[in-house]
Amino acid sequence: MMIPRILFGIPLLLASTVVNAGVTVYTSATGTAAIAQYTVASTDQTVLNAPAPPANFNPATFIQLYDGGMTGMSQPAPGTLFGFSIELSVAAMLMGEKPAVLRPEFLNYCAILEARAGGVTIRVGGNTQDKATLNMDGNPNGRTIEKYKGTDASPTETPEVHFTLDLLNAMAEISKLVNVKWFFGVPFLKTNSDGNAAVVVQNSMSILGDNLLGLQLANEPDLYGPHFKKWQDYSINDFLNETNYMLTNLPLGQPNIVGPSVCCMWTIGQLLDAGYLNQFASHLKYVDVMHYPHNNCQGDENVQELYPAYLSHTEVQNLVNPYFAAANVAIGAGKQFMMMETNTASCGGFPGISDSFASALWATDYAMQMAYGNFTYGLLHFGGQNVYYNPFTPPPTNMTQVRKWNTGPIFYAQIIAAEALGKSGNARVIDLNLNDNSPDRAGYAIYESGVASRLVLINYVQPTTPNANDYVATFAIGGGQTGLPALTPASVKVKYLRADSVNSKDNITWAGQTFGQQFMSDGRLYGDLDVQTIQCNAADGTCNIPVPGPSVALVFLNDAAYQNSGGDIATPVTFATTTTTHRVIASMDPAALAASNGRSGQDPLGATSKGGSQTSSAVAKMGSFVGAVSIVVGAVVAKLLL
């Protein structure tokens, strides 16, 4: 049965702020505020019924690898493939309000990926980019992002966003601390008729510099008509004409445009057939798409019936297969192909799926399948507080205590993808189609410079009795009937992603380490690193890897592969969340703090996910950030090894 969501009451600790000119550090203090009653998606405890194990489950599978590579491998993929897509309207809430006041938890999450992949890929944009306005002189209230109720009839209830240069400067500051590269969305709906799009382009390029990967021109243009953002019969030809007008009038230099960013009503094939790539090749750096496997904008999906689709390798293959041809066309034209925005389901995801261990299994498979399909990037989308699919979420604004972020299960998949692809930029991936392409498991081999480097093995099955649906993957490199020398190593290192169940929301571990329970994270992994060493079989040149159900196993086939993925890093360089300057102290009234959740709901203009607006608006005042312990940039050394 489906367990309904629970209303939580959580005690708060009052916090005090420490303020100095150019320096703002928030630290926890003593005192008690009234218990806050709240329910947001990130606290929803919905649990679904796990799909039954397959009747014909095979406990063994064999993998034959070959030295030098395998037919059908992908193009080289970067370790930064599986990055973030952050909705513009919530960017300040997630990253920090000002360049001198960044969120250390956000930096810690980024540092974890950087340690493994060498960097992080982040896009800032989404539905709110298309009508966004850059106010060069700042917003009247001093905020970095201000939202106003939108006028379109979009199911996402998209607000109109006014942002300031502080956002771009904060992004640039983040890149000084962590190796983050950015995509930024350009307003498209007014086609630069007011000059605003040109201002956004010019400042994005000048402030972000070499850290700017590309500028996204248009966001889901195939929905402009249905969502009343343009005229109702807005067509592909209309879009091509407006794109041409924009490119002619924007202050662009080298090719750095990303498009067409279609998602739903038009296919990427239709755009390519209409001449999009040929017409705009001189401006394009990336050809992109946006896709969610299911639509939850109406909120009427039967989530229990959909659950098996998120525990199936076949379904993941079906997500990516439609883009293989377009990716090859883009690569053939000298462009890169990418998924600009994706996640478990549109409009915030599904309770019991997007926030469960199942999403980590699914997303690991999805990331590797995109790498196999020649995607350069695939970016997981963030909404506000009231969405289920966020990789991580700050606490509601009256819960901003230190170490109180919520880490979504899906973020563990981003760590695995970073380690699986590593830092070389030369990882080539092949889908091994395990067990005759059985939907209950997935396997990928990663080669670097022709050398078999890593295996990713996934077991989707939730057993009804312990260990009943574990399988053993036996692999060999050469040898046997191949006629090639046997190169199976003497031993391998293995990391496991584990949880009690596909339904688990907490107590998920990656190689023995965890972010902890809901609203108990500061963006750092805790616990002892547990990397298992498995001895291989010298007699027959094979190696047996147990893959429990449910789990992911990442197998390092040589020491270089292990070291090049940051696999030996138990604790990367992270950012202090307990720093104080002992300067001017300003405290906040407990009553005001207790009533500050989402600004008391009086300004419901936050997320672009339906139903997510009341708790996701950018923080407005000092009290909204109280206890969040923001990093001090410039005045205090921020990077610490903890």
Side-chain angles (χ1 to χ4, degrees), residues 191-240:
T191 57
N192 200 42
S193 60
D194 57 358
N196 176 58
V199 172
V200 171
V201 167
Q202 183 176 3
N203 284 278
S204 299
M205 294 171 60
S206 63
I207 293 173
L208 297 177
D210 292 341
N211 292 315
L212 179 66
L213 289 173
L215 294 165
Q216 182 194 5
L217 195 61
N219 183 81
E220 299 176 345
D222 42 336
L223 295 181
Y224 286 168
H227 288 179
F228 305 102
K229 295 181 178 180
K230 298 277 189 178
W231 47 97
Q232 196 165 358
D233 59 349
Y234 188 79
S235 67
I236 290 176
N237 283 336
D238 292 326
F239 173 61
L240 295 179

Side-chain angles (χ1 to χ4, degrees), residues 298-491:
Q298 303 305 318
D300 56 359
E301 294 281 358
N302 187 321
V303 181
Q304 183 63 62
E305 289 184 359
L306 292 175
Y307 199 10
Y310 292 88
L311 293 166
S312 167
H313 180 54
T314 303
E315 293 293 334
V316 169
Q317 290 174 318
N318 291 341
L319 279 177
V320 180
N321 285 348
Y323 301 110
F324 280 13
N328 289 334
V329 170
I331 293 168
K335 310 302 177 185
Q336 298 178 62
F337 193 75
M338 66 176 291
M339 179 73 70
M340 181 63 78
E341 177 181 324
T342 190
N343 212 304
T344 47
S346 59
C347 291
F350 295 124
I353 294 177
S354 305
D355 55 354
S356 73
F357 186 59
S359 70
L361 303 174
W362 171 85
T364 300
D365 197 357
Y366 190 18
M368 301 312 298
Q369 189 69 200
M370 284 191 285
Y372 171 59
N374 292 326
F375 286 69
T376 301
Y377 303 113
L379 308 182
L380 285 177
H381 197 55
F382 282 83
Q385 286 285 345
N386 208 23
V387 301
Y388 295 95
Y389 57 36
N390 285 346
F392 44 84
T393 307
T397 53
N398 66 350
M399 288 294 299
T400 48
Q401 224 181 306
V402 179
R403 297 188 62 201
K404 291 296 181 182
W405 285 45
N406 186 61
T407 305
I410 206 167
F411 182 67
Y412 289 88
Q414 294 183 285
I415 298 175
I416 297 172
E419 289 195 27
L421 298 173
K423 302 175 184 176
S424 71
N426 192 33
R428 303 184 67 184
V429 179
I430 187 163
D431 186 341
L432 297 169
N433 297 314
L434 295 186
N435 195 36
D436 295 326
N437 209 27
S438 172
D440 63 34
R441 67 194 68 183
Y444 298 88
I446 297 95
Y447 280 78
E448 292 174 304
S449 301
V451 176
S453 298
R454 304 173 194 89
L455 292 172
V456 175
L457 305 171
I458 302 169
N459 187 341
Y460 277 116
V461 181
Q462 175 63 46
T464 54
T465 58
N467 306 317
N469 296 105
D470 298 355
Y471 72 82
V472 174
T474 301
F475 78 88
I477 304 176
Q481 304 299 313
T482 66
L484 299 172
L487 297 176
T488 303
S491 65

Side-chain angles (χ1 to χ4, degrees), residues 65-102:
L65 303 177
Y66 300 86
D67 187 44
M70 297 175 68
T71 302
M73 292 190 306
S74 71
Q75 295 287 316
T80 55
L81 178 145
F82 212 25
F84 305 136
S85 165
I86 299 175
E87 189 65 45
L88 174 61
S89 61
V90 301
M93 176 193 74
L94 197 64
M95 300 187 302
E97 268 286 300
K98 307 288 182 182
V101 188
L102 304 177

Side-chain angles (χ1 to χ4, degrees), residues 3 63 71 154 183 186 241 284 287 337 353 460 491 504 551 641:
I3 302 174
I63 300 168
T71 302
S154 167
F183 291 98
V186 178
N241 289 337
L284 285 170
V287 175
F337 193 75
I353 294 177
Y460 277 116
S491 65
S504 296
S551 72
L641 182 60

Side-chain angles (χ1 to χ4, degrees), residues 131 149-160 189 227-229:
K131 291 192 291 185
K149 187 171 179 59
T151 56
D152 65 70
S154 167
T156 58
E157 300 174 353
T158 306
E160 295 183 12
L189 293 186
H227 288 179
F228 305 102
K229 295 181 178 180

Side-chain angles (χ1 to χ4, degrees), residues 17 26 97 141 143 397 588 592-593 595-600 602 618-626:
T17 54
Y26 298 94
E97 268 286 300
N141 56 17
R143 299 174 192 158
T397 53
M588 185 179 182
L593 179 63
S596 68
N597 184 19
R599 303 211 296 274
S600 302
Q602 296 174 1
V619 291
K621 53 190 176 183
M622 182 181 298
S624 299
F625 259 127
V626 167

